């Protein structure tokens, strides 16, 4: 009868030879394969002591950027949250008060901005959607943790510090408008 997938294999039922019955050649051949690996280059990376080189397109933990004057770029427009296929981003917008011009670049800012790193699939669509060059994915790894709550990253862990700025020039799209 015709098979549906055509992948059917008829298994041979032939008698095993003496050499096959003692299994020794098969065992020796297996040991030879294992032995050969002793002299090959070790492919194991002993993370975290050793960190392998990342591809330039690697997408890791997000950063919320500040401008050159230290003001937060994010205006809480919500486009990143709308673009996020994992619904990992939540935010609460607030209006900038008088005297806060040095903190926030525009009249509206994100009072709360959270990313659930357990939901995030690091697709980079939030970065693509952002019209203010406010959010970028970096080469930083989200550290492991035993508590699920620790994976909700708020502004305290997302907004870059002025003393430890994160270079995202490689990720900036040429020709993309940068708001001043
Ligand atoms: S990288 Fe993708 S999944 Fe993660 S927050 Fe951004 S849009 Fe959502
Ligand atoms: S990060 Fe960008 S897209 Fe997201 S709310 Fe802020 S300005 Fe809008």
């Amino acid at each position: 009868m015709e098979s549906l997938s055509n992948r059917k294999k008829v298994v041979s039922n032939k008698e095993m030879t003496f050499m096959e019955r003692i299994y020794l050649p098969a065992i020796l051949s297996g040991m030879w394969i294992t032995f050969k690996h002793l002299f090959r280059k070790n492919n194991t990376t002993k993370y975290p002591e050793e960190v392998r080189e990342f591809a330039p397109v690697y997408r890791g933990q997000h950063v919320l950027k500040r401008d050159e004057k230290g003001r937060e770029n994010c205006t809480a427009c919500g486009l990143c949250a709308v673009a996020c296929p994992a619904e990992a981003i939540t935010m609460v917008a607030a209006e900038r008060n008088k005297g806060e011009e040095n903190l926030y670049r525009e009249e509206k800012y994100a009072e709360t901005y959270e990313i659930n790193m357990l939901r995030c699939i690091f697709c980079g669509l939030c970065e693509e959607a952002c019209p203010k060059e406010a959010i970028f994915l970096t080469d930083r790894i989200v550290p492991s943790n035993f508590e699920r709550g620790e994976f909700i990253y708020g502004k305290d862990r997302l907004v870059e510090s002025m003393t430890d700025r994160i270079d995202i020039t490689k990720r900036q799209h040429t020709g993309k408008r940068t708001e001043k």
Side-chain angles (χ1 to χ4, degrees), residues 50-167:
E50 285 172 30
V51 180
R52 74 181 163 87
E53 206 177 302
F54 290 116
V57 291
Y58 177 83
R59 294 188 290 256
Q61 188 185 316
H62 315 62
V63 61
L64 286 174
K65 290 293 287 177
R66 295 176 186 273
D67 67 6
E68 65 291 343
K69 293 181 188 154
R71 303 170 299 182
E72 290 178 17
N73 286 357
C74 177
T75 57
C77 66
L79 285 176
C80 52
V82 172
C84 177
E87 299 189 353
I89 302 176
T90 47
M91 76 189 67
V92 178
E95 265 184 55
R96 184 179 72 185
N97 293 322
K98 222 172 177 319
E100 289 180 336
E101 292 79 4
N102 58 330
L103 299 176
Y104 313 111
R105 200 169 58 177
E106 301 197 17
E107 299 79 41
K108 200 156 73 87
Y109 70 96
E111 190 177 48
T112 307
Y113 191 107
E114 285 178 348
I115 301 181
N116 184 336
M117 295 296 176
L118 290 178
R119 299 193 77 153
C120 176
I121 54 170
F122 300 94
C123 61
L125 288 179
C126 47
E127 178 184 302
E128 293 287 327
C130 180
K132 301 291 178 183
E133 301 229 309
I135 187 163
F136 287 92
L137 275 75
T138 69
D139 59 359
R140 292 177 299 164
I141 295 174
V142 175
S144 55
N145 208 299
F146 291 106
E147 302 293 330
R148 294 183 71 84
E150 290 297 315
F151 288 98
I152 314 286
Y153 278 44
K155 283 183 73 176
D156 54 327
R157 286 189 281 180
L158 292 172
V159 179
E160 74 173 340
S161 138
M162 281 308 278
T163 53
D164 183 22
R165 301 208 69 172
I166 295 163
D167 180 19

